Structure formats: C-alpha cells, structure tokens
Amino acid sequence: RTNAVRIAVLETIATLAPPKRNFVFTHGVSHDGGHPIDHMIAGQILSTAERRGADALVVRLRCTTAELTRRIQTPERSIRLKSRDSGRAEHYATLAPLDPRHNWTIDLDTTGSTPSETAALVMQALSGPRR
C-alpha cells in the first residue's frame, strides 16, 4: 500500500499546497543500482514540485564506508525499524548517487557532520542563490 499512499500524498501536495509551503522527502536511489521503481519515485517527487510551481532542492548525501558502517550499527536504527546489517555498508558506500539532471542539486559529504550540522548546510543552500 505504500505506492498508493505515496501517490495520494504527492497528489494532495501538488493540488492543494501553496508553492511556498515546504516539504522534505527522503529517498535513497543510486545511479547504477537499486530497483527501477526508485528512479520512478524520484521523478514523482520532482514532478510534484514542478506541478506546484515550487522550487526543489535535490540533496545527495554521502559519507565514508567506515562512517556508514558505524551509523548502521547504532541501536537507534532498530527503533526506526531500519536494518543494522553493517555488512551492507561497503555496498551502499560504493553506489553512485543518482544524477537527477535537476538544475538545483547539491552534494554533501556528511562523514564528519552531525544530523543538525547537515540540516544547517541544507538550510544554507536553500537561503542562498538557486543554481
């Protein structure tokens, strides 16, 4: 049912939300791996912004394999029902992020950053000039 829910949410945002209203979507998709539906979901999100006449900032995050391994092993991931299989960290770290060919895309290496610091960098990009 996640596909139906996502479609309903995106349609509601596209047709009812004012363009100045902000929404944050997190979606992991790689350029050369993963499932084709992941590319479709990324396109649906960008299409929703376009339909609303709203700006969209694509943020591509990466960190070192060692840091990703450390993060995957944290107990907090279990609380959020996320995998703690650190053996997948090397695989994930080697995947090239999707190039959405979107005109406002930034790349952030979050290896030494806390979530709050990363959020501050995203906010800085949002308040700066649009690329």
Side-chain angles (χ1 to χ4, degrees), residues 9-10 15 17 19 40:
V9 167
L10 292 175
T15 59
M40 181 193 72

mmCIF file with all atom_site columns, all heavy atoms in Angstrom, residues 9-10 15 17 19 40:
data_model
loop_
_atom_site.group_PDB
_atom_site.id
_atom_site.type_symbol
_atom_site.label_atom_id
_atom_site.label_alt_id
_atom_site.label_comp_id
_atom_site.label_asym_id
_atom_site.label_entity_id
_atom_site.label_seq_id
_atom_site.pdbx_PDB_ins_code
_atom_site.Cartn_x
_atom_site.Cartn_y
_atom_site.Cartn_z
_atom_site.occupancy
_atom_site.B_iso_or_equiv
_atom_site.pdbx_formal_charge
_atom_site.auth_seq_id
_atom_site.auth_comp_id
_atom_site.auth_asym_id
_atom_site.auth_atom_id
_atom_site.pdbx_PDB_model_num
ATOM 1  N N   . VAL A 1 9  ? -0.419 11.215 -1.281  1.00 0.00 ? 9  VAL A N   1
ATOM 2  C CA  . VAL A 1 9  ? 0.264  12.337 -0.628  1.00 0.00 ? 9  VAL A CA  1
ATOM 3  C C   . VAL A 1 9  ? 0.788  13.318 -1.667  1.00 0.00 ? 9  VAL A C   1
ATOM 4  O O   . VAL A 1 9  ? 0.591  14.539 -1.560  1.00 0.00 ? 9  VAL A O   1
ATOM 5  C CB  . VAL A 1 9  ? 1.402  11.825 0.290   1.00 0.00 ? 9  VAL A CB  1
ATOM 6  C CG1 . VAL A 1 9  ? 2.316  12.963 0.724   1.00 0.00 ? 9  VAL A CG1 1
ATOM 7  C CG2 . VAL A 1 9  ? 0.821  11.105 1.497   1.00 0.00 ? 9  VAL A CG2 1
ATOM 8  N N   . LEU A 1 10 ? 1.473  12.809 -2.689  1.00 0.00 ? 10 LEU A N   1
ATOM 9  C CA  . LEU A 1 10 ? 2.034  13.692 -3.715  1.00 0.00 ? 10 LEU A CA  1
ATOM 10 C C   . LEU A 1 10 ? 0.939  14.427 -4.481  1.00 0.00 ? 10 LEU A C   1
ATOM 11 O O   . LEU A 1 10 ? 1.087  15.619 -4.794  1.00 0.00 ? 10 LEU A O   1
ATOM 12 C CB  . LEU A 1 10 ? 2.935  12.899 -4.666  1.00 0.00 ? 10 LEU A CB  1
ATOM 13 C CG  . LEU A 1 10 ? 4.227  12.358 -4.046  1.00 0.00 ? 10 LEU A CG  1
ATOM 14 C CD1 . LEU A 1 10 ? 4.978  11.490 -5.044  1.00 0.00 ? 10 LEU A CD1 1
ATOM 15 C CD2 . LEU A 1 10 ? 5.109  13.471 -3.513  1.00 0.00 ? 10 LEU A CD2 1
ATOM 16 N N   . THR A 1 15 ? -1.808 19.503 -5.667  1.00 0.00 ? 15 THR A N   1
ATOM 17 C CA  . THR A 1 15 ? -3.047 20.214 -5.994  1.00 0.00 ? 15 THR A CA  1
ATOM 18 C C   . THR A 1 15 ? -3.562 21.131 -4.894  1.00 0.00 ? 15 THR A C   1
ATOM 19 O O   . THR A 1 15 ? -4.353 22.031 -5.190  1.00 0.00 ? 15 THR A O   1
ATOM 20 C CB  . THR A 1 15 ? -4.158 19.203 -6.357  1.00 0.00 ? 15 THR A CB  1
ATOM 21 O OG1 . THR A 1 15 ? -4.370 18.315 -5.260  1.00 0.00 ? 15 THR A OG1 1
ATOM 22 C CG2 . THR A 1 15 ? -3.771 18.416 -7.603  1.00 0.00 ? 15 THR A CG2 1
ATOM 23 N N   . ALA A 1 17 ? -1.444 22.269 -1.828  1.00 0.00 ? 17 ALA A N   1
ATOM 24 C CA  . ALA A 1 17 ? -0.464 23.016 -1.038  1.00 0.00 ? 17 ALA A CA  1
ATOM 25 C C   . ALA A 1 17 ? 0.039  24.241 -1.796  1.00 0.00 ? 17 ALA A C   1
ATOM 26 O O   . ALA A 1 17 ? 0.356  24.155 -2.981  1.00 0.00 ? 17 ALA A O   1
ATOM 27 C CB  . ALA A 1 17 ? 0.713  22.118 -0.684  1.00 0.00 ? 17 ALA A CB  1
ATOM 28 N N   . PRO A 1 19 ? 2.618  26.943 -3.225  1.00 0.00 ? 19 PRO A N   1
ATOM 29 C CA  . PRO A 1 19 ? 4.013  26.752 -3.655  1.00 0.00 ? 19 PRO A CA  1
ATOM 30 C C   . PRO A 1 19 ? 5.050  27.132 -2.598  1.00 0.00 ? 19 PRO A C   1
ATOM 31 O O   . PRO A 1 19 ? 6.140  26.586 -2.580  1.00 0.00 ? 19 PRO A O   1
ATOM 32 C CB  . PRO A 1 19 ? 4.137  27.658 -4.881  1.00 0.00 ? 19 PRO A CB  1
ATOM 33 C CG  . PRO A 1 19 ? 2.751  27.766 -5.397  1.00 0.00 ? 19 PRO A CG  1
ATOM 34 C CD  . PRO A 1 19 ? 1.859  27.738 -4.176  1.00 0.00 ? 19 PRO A CD  1
ATOM 35 N N   . MET A 1 40 ? 11.623 5.977  -10.507 1.00 0.00 ? 40 MET A N   1
ATOM 36 C CA  . MET A 1 40 ? 10.278 6.492  -10.730 1.00 0.00 ? 40 MET A CA  1
ATOM 37 C C   . MET A 1 40 ? 9.831  7.359  -9.554  1.00 0.00 ? 40 MET A C   1
ATOM 38 O O   . MET A 1 40 ? 9.270  8.437  -9.750  1.00 0.00 ? 40 MET A O   1
ATOM 39 C CB  . MET A 1 40 ? 9.288  5.336  -10.914 1.00 0.00 ? 40 MET A CB  1
ATOM 40 C CG  . MET A 1 40 ? 7.869  5.799  -11.166 1.00 0.00 ? 40 MET A CG  1
ATOM 41 S SD  . MET A 1 40 ? 6.672  4.464  -11.006 1.00 0.00 ? 40 MET A SD  1
ATOM 42 C CE  . MET A 1 40 ? 6.670  4.234  -9.235  1.00 0.00 ? 40 MET A CE  1
#
